[in-house]
């Protein structure tokens, strides 16, 4: 399990160092938050199309080479972003997105092949621990190093990818375990979409996960831009992201809150708290430092949603349909990656960048009202 945690930590290092660098560079290259939104929407659409195409590609390309391809595409993205003209930054972001999709598909397949089901929980917690350090340090370190020398964050990302790839080949995972050929073709997940949307608990889980991802996406992209537009240092946005990612280490306390109350209470609290603080940050946006502090505080509630938002799906899906329903459920990431910047672009037609925080806050508060319809006994132990 340590091997997979190390692979995940290398990938997190490659991503975290650039996550706060890219929005600032794109804002400098394109000159407006609206243009940045358009690029991120196109990048999200590219990632969605790639996610749909990777399983087909995996039928013809051995998994070890597909994983290698994903890592090399990420390296190519860092080279484009760090060593070419700033106008190539959008292409660098797109390459990084495509590489990550390929790596995620292969990584998850290896985990399912080599980690026993009884050990999945320990493997996931170890992965979060190893990766959490990178996510807590990387965003702030990236912008600090960018101000010192613009190519250094990209060099760190390239080195992390190379180390990850070298360790992957050292592990000799090959193409995964050989599985006996099925007697019938696997079910098409698309056939399960109508059945998925006939089950309110599954739809609720998908909706909560999507809206939580929208909140995180708006925060990640637009807080650094808001800081720069307000005349603050580039480093403020990176510091805000690092602090927010540090809240991931508070998840044991949030699990305690969840167990003492209920899934419904946790989800309602997460959406209401983050929504109120997002909207409140807009009201005090003339004072950028307090506004950013309020936005950072809002992410505590987004982390609570990370802990609780997926439980309506996990606790109610039928065991016989887990694989197919999980394929439908996992589309929340792709929907959020396309929908978040598209939503922000629409808001930016009528308001400055702080208006995006207000609109997101209203959206999250609306989700809290919807979440009140979640069954009050969901997740509680039966006596």
């Amino acid at each position: 399990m340590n091997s997979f945690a190390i692979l995940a930590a290398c990938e997190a290092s490659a991503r975290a160092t650039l996550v706060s660098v890219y929005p600032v560079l794109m804002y400098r290259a394109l000159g407006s938050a609206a243009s940045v939104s358009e690029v991120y929407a196109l990048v999200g659409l590219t990632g969605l199309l790639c996610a749909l195409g990777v399983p087909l590609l995996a039928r013809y390309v051995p998994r070890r080479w597909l994983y290698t391809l994903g890592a090399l595409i990420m390296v190519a993205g860092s080279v484009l972003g760090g060593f070419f003209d700033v106008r190539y930054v959008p292409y660098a972001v797109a390459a990084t997105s495509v590489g990550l999709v390929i790596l995620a598909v292969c990584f998850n397949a290896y985990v399912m092949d080599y980690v026993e089901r009884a050990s999945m929980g320990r493997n996931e917690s170890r992965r979060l621990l190893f990766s959490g350090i990178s996510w807590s340090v990387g965003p702030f370190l990236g912008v600090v190093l960018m101000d010192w020398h613009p190519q250094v964050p990209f060099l760190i990302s390239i080195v992390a990818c190379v180390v990850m790839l070298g360790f992957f080949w050292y592990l000799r995972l090959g193409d995964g375990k050989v599985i006996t050929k099925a007697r019938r073709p696997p079910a098409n997940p698309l056939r399960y979409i109508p059945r998925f949307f006939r089950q309110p608990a599954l739809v609720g889980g998908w909706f909560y996960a999507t809206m939580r991802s929208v909140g995180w996406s708006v925060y990640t992209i637009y807080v650094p831009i808001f800081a720069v537009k307000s005349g603050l240092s580039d480093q403020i946005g990176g510091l805000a992201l690092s602090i927010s990612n540090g809240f991931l280490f508070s998840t044991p306390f949030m699990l305690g809150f969840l167990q003492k109350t209920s899934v419904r209470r946790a989800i309602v609290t997460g959406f209401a708290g983050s929504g109120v603080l997002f909207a409140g940050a807009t009201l005090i946006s003339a004072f950028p430092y307090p506004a950013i502090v309020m936005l950072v505080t809002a992410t505590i509630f987004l982390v609570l949603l990370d802990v609780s938002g997926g439980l309506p799906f996990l606790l109610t899906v039928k065991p016989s349909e887990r694989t197919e329903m999980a394929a439908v459920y996992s589309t929340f990431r792709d929907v959020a990656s396309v929908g978040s910047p598209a939503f922000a672009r629409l808001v930016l037609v009528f308001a400055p960048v702080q208006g995006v925080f207000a609109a997101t806050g209203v959206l999250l508060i609306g989700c809290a009202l919807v979440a009140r319809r979640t069954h009050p006994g969901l997740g509680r132990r039966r006596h």
Side-chain angles (χ1 to χ4, degrees):
M1 285 191 292
N2 281 338
S3 298
F4 289 116
I6 292 171
L7 283 176
C10 290
E11 179 202 296
S13 298
R15 296 171 58 192
T17 310
L18 298 178
V19 69
S20 57
V21 170
Y22 275 138
V24 174
L25 288 182
M26 281 216 285
Y27 181 69
R28 290 177 181 174
L30 302 175
S32 72
S35 298
V36 172
S37 300
E38 292 168 1
V39 170
Y40 269 107
L42 291 174
V43 168
L45 184 60
T46 301
L48 174 59
L49 295 175
C50 181
L52 296 174
V54 168
L56 178 63
L57 185 62
R59 296 181 183 180
Y60 305 100
V61 180
R63 193 191 297 167
R64 64 185 184 278
W65 292 110
L66 196 58
Y67 188 95
T68 302
L69 176 64
L72 293 177
I73 291 175
M74 281 194 66
V75 169
S78 294
V79 171
L80 272 177
F83 298 90
F84 286 79
D85 190 88
V86 71
R87 67 176 181 271
Y88 290 100
V89 170
Y91 301 102
V93 177
T96 301
S97 175
V98 170
L100 287 173
V101 167
I102 296 173
L103 288 176
V105 171
C106 296
F107 181 86
N108 290 331
Y110 280 123
V111 168
M112 287 186 285
D113 277 347
Y114 290 100
V115 179
E116 296 179 358
R117 292 188 64 180
S119 301
M120 284 287 185
R122 281 187 295 147
N123 179 75
E124 184 67 9
S125 63
R126 195 165 299 180
R127 182 188 69 82
L128 289 172
L129 177 62
F130 281 42
S131 301
I133 298 171
S134 297
W135 281 112
S136 298
V137 176
F140 181 57
L141 181 65
V143 289
V144 169
L145 293 175
M146 180 182 69
D147 289 341
W148 178 60
H149 194 293
Q151 295 177 338
V152 173
F154 296 93
L155 284 172
I156 292 175
S157 180
I158 291 170
V159 170
C161 286
V162 171
V163 171
M164 176 182 68
L165 193 55
F167 186 65
F168 167 76
W169 280 95
Y170 168 77
L171 292 175
R172 296 182 179 274
L173 296 175
D175 298 318
K177 293 184 177 180
V178 178
I179 301 174
T180 305
K181 187 175 181 180
R183 296 180 180 177
R184 59 177 183 174
N188 183 354
L190 295 177
R191 295 174 55 189
Y192 281 77
I193 291 178
R195 191 181 304 177
F196 182 94
F197 283 98
R198 284 198 296 267
Q199 299 181 57
L202 300 189
V203 175
W206 181 88
F207 174 75
Y208 301 147
T210 301
M211 300 313 298
R212 176 198 72 206
S213 294
V214 167
W216 274 118
S217 180
V218 167
Y219 179 82
T220 302
I221 297 172
Y222 296 98
V223 166
I225 293 176
F226 171 70
V228 172
K229 283 181 68 69
S230 301
L232 306 181
S233 168
D234 297 343
Q235 298 177 11
I236 296 299
L239 179 61
L241 296 184
S242 286
I243 294 172
S244 296
N245 289 324
F247 292 149
L248 291 170
F249 295 106
S250 67
T251 52
F253 302 101
M254 295 184 180
L255 284 171
F257 171 75
L258 179 64
Q259 292 166 355
K260 290 179 180 179
T261 55
S262 66
V263 172
R264 181 174 72 172
R265 177 72 62 84
I267 294 174
V268 171
T269 301
F271 278 122
S274 58
V276 168
L277 289 168
F278 264 83
T282 305
L283 297 177
I284 61 171
S285 59
F287 308 96
Y289 279 114
I292 290 175
V293 169
M294 191 170 284
L295 289 167
V296 170
T297 307
T299 61
I300 296 174
F301 294 93
L302 291 180
V303 171
L304 177 59
L305 290 172
D306 288 339
V307 174
S308 59
L311 291 176
F313 170 81
L314 295 172
L315 294 173
T316 57
V317 66
K318 296 178 181 178
S320 60
E321 298 178 345
R322 280 175 182 163
T323 301
E324 292 78 15
M325 292 303 185
V328 180
Y329 173 76
S330 64
T331 60
F332 77 84
R333 295 185 184 89
D334 303 307
V335 171
S337 67
V338 177
S340 302
F343 167 73
R345 178 65 182 87
L346 180 62
V347 173
L348 289 168
V349 173
F350 307 99
V353 67
Q354 52 265 40
V356 176
F357 302 136
T360 304
V362 171
L363 205 61
L364 294 172
I365 292 170
C367 292
L369 297 176
V370 173
R372 294 179 63 188
R373 301 181 61 182
T374 304
H375 194 284
L378 184 66
R380 288 181 173 172
R381 293 180 180 179
R382 296 179 181 178
H383 300 287

